[in-house]
């Protein structure tokens, strides 16, 4: 299958999944008779978006047609897509500038490393555009056991899915794992998919997660997408007890991100101090 065919297949699945989640009542239509499948019918969506039924059917079937930005914007409004989903739709349709050639820097700037270590007692790490973990402070190392890992495991996918100890500790792990996959899928499209080096790297990460973790394979087929952002987490550490965490994502230059697991209360802060000693100054 060519890159274009893969993109059209992905677009087809995404459109069907988003059409299925809308009800006639949500868009001001009468419920009508019994429906064989959930959501809006193709002809209803086409009417609301102001496009031809046959044309939309071809688009959803993955045929080689090229919608204009105006038509894509109309579809996004009709499907009630959020910003991340709209960007994803445009990328799949080949109607958005690619910005995925931002390569990972050879070195993490010393100023960013100093900022990372200054987060103590909060675990913190630096991730690049490839979603590879490039540096971490002692708290993150103690929590995730990153030092000594082979390079292919030093990425966020391994932390979420491959790190069995971390999976056990995270309350509502499935919710957070699904959110991670939605963010990874959105990043893949944002970085240009198979058309760019970063996109291909993220694509390989998606395929690896699919192959290694059956639950991820199922969830990826739901075509969820989401912007990368922070989250509230609760971890139940086997030695320290309950850790209430606010996870922050801070954007830096050259596609780098600083992720900080900030304690939400004084009790968590004290427990994190016991997790790892204060780091040395960089």
């Amino acid at each position: 299958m060519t890159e274009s065919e893969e993109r059209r297949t992905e677009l087809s699945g995404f459109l069907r999944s988003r059409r299925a989640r809308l009800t006639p009542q949500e868009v001001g239509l009468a419920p009508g008779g019994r429906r064989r499948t959930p959501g809006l019918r193709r002809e209803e969506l086409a009417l609301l978006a102001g496009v031809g039924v046959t044309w939309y059917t071809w688009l959803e079937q993955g045929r080689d047609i090229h919608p204009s930005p105006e038509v894509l914007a109309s579809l996004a409004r009709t499907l009630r897509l959020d910003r991340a989903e709209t960007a994803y739709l445009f990328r799949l349709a080949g109607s958005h500038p690619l910005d995925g050639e931002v390569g990972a820097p050879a070195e993490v700037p010393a100023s960013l490393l100093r900022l990372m270590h200054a987060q103590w007692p909060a675990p913190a790490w630096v991730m690049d555009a490839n979603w590879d973990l490039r540096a971490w402070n002692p708290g993150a190392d103690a929590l995730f056991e990153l030092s000594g890992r082979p390079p292919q495991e030093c990425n966020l996918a391994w932390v979420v899915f491959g790190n069995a100890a971390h999976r056990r500790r995270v309350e509502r792990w499935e919710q957070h794992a699904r959110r991670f996959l939605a963010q990874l899928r959105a990043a893949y499209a944002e970085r240009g998919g198979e058309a760019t080096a970063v996109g291909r790297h993220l694509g390989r990460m998606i395929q690896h997660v699919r192959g290694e973790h059956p639950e991820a394979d199922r969830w990826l087929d739901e075509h969820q997408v989401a912007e990368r952002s922070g989250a509230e987490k609760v971890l139940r550490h086997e030695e320290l007890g309950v850790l209430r965490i606010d996870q922050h994502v801070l954007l830096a230059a050259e596609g780098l991100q600083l992720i900080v697991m900030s304690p939400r209360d004084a009790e968590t802060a004290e427990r994190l101090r016991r997790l790892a000693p204060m780091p040395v100054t960089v």
Side-chain angles (χ1 to χ4, degrees):
M1 183 181 293
T2 66
E3 174 200 330
S4 179
E5 289 170 338
E6 288 180 356
R7 183 167 48 79
R8 294 200 303 271
T9 298
E10 194 74 15
L11 175 61
S12 173
F14 180 68
L15 288 171
R16 287 197 305 271
S17 69
R18 291 307 177 269
R19 179 168 59 84
R21 75 179 182 181
L22 283 178
T23 65
Q25 294 92 326
E26 286 178 304
V27 296
L29 296 177
R34 184 175 180 180
R35 292 170 181 258
R36 292 179 297 175
T37 57
L40 295 179
R41 298 185 178 100
R42 284 174 175 168
E43 56 268 26
E44 291 170 335
L45 180 61
L47 176 65
L48 291 168
V51 299
V53 176
T54 300
W55 181 91
Y56 177 76
T57 300
W58 287 349
L59 183 65
E60 200 172 280
Q61 288 175 342
R63 297 201 188 186
D64 189 12
I65 55 179
H66 305 281
S68 68
E70 292 76 16
V71 167
L72 290 173
S74 180
L75 286 173
R77 287 192 298 270
T78 305
L79 290 168
R80 302 193 173 187
L81 304 184
D82 62 23
R83 190 170 68 171
E85 292 170 326
T86 299
Y88 186 66
L89 171 67
F90 271 71
R91 303 281 181 181
L92 291 179
S95 185
H96 197 287
L98 301 178
D99 59 358
E101 293 296 359
V102 179
E107 300 290 340
V108 177
S111 58
L112 187 57
L113 293 176
R114 287 194 293 271
L115 181 61
M116 177 190 73
H117 284 298
Q119 303 311 307
W120 186 86
W125 65 92
V126 175
M127 185 177 79
D128 64 22
N130 290 328
W131 287 38
D132 290 332
L133 307 187
R134 300 290 301 276
W136 45 83
N137 68 8
D141 200 12
L143 199 59
F144 302 122
E145 300 179 352
L146 296 167
S147 292
R149 293 281 172 189
Q152 65 269 23
E153 289 185 355
C154 286
N155 59 58
L156 202 54
W158 178 82
V159 169
V160 175
F161 281 92
N163 189 326
H166 183 59
R167 284 180 61 155
R168 290 193 302 268
R169 293 168 183 157
V170 178
E171 280 194 358
R172 298 183 296 165
W173 175 82
E174 179 178 330
Q175 174 184 324
H176 290 293
R178 284 174 174 267
R179 185 168 173 270
F180 161 77
L181 292 175
Q183 293 171 342
L184 179 57
R185 183 185 285 279
Y188 168 76
E190 180 183 352
R191 293 299 183 179
E194 296 304 305
T196 69
V198 172
R200 289 190 292 273
H201 182 93
L202 296 179
R204 289 191 295 272
M205 187 180 296
I206 291 172
Q207 292 308 313
H208 178 77
V209 173
R210 274 190 184 275
E212 293 293 323
H213 305 284
E215 67 271 47
D217 189 40
R218 295 194 305 273
W219 298 338
L220 281 164
D221 286 339
E222 295 174 3
H223 296 274
Q224 298 298 319
V225 290
E227 290 184 308
R228 184 115 177 89
S229 60
E232 293 185 357
K233 290 185 176 182
V234 176
L235 280 63
R236 296 191 176 275
H237 194 276
E238 57 275 13
E239 296 178 3
L240 300 176
V242 177
L243 303 174
R244 297 176 180 88
I245 298 292
D246 289 323
Q247 183 166 302
H248 303 282
V249 179
L250 309 177
L251 303 182
E254 298 186 271
L256 295 172
Q257 298 179 20
L258 174 62
I259 294 88
V260 181
M261 301 183 72
S262 175
R264 201 180 310 152
D265 51 48
E267 187 176 36
T268 297
E270 179 56 36
R271 289 172 176 172
L272 288 176
R273 288 186 179 92
R274 302 203 305 268
L275 181 66
M278 182 180 292
V280 297
T281 303
V282 177

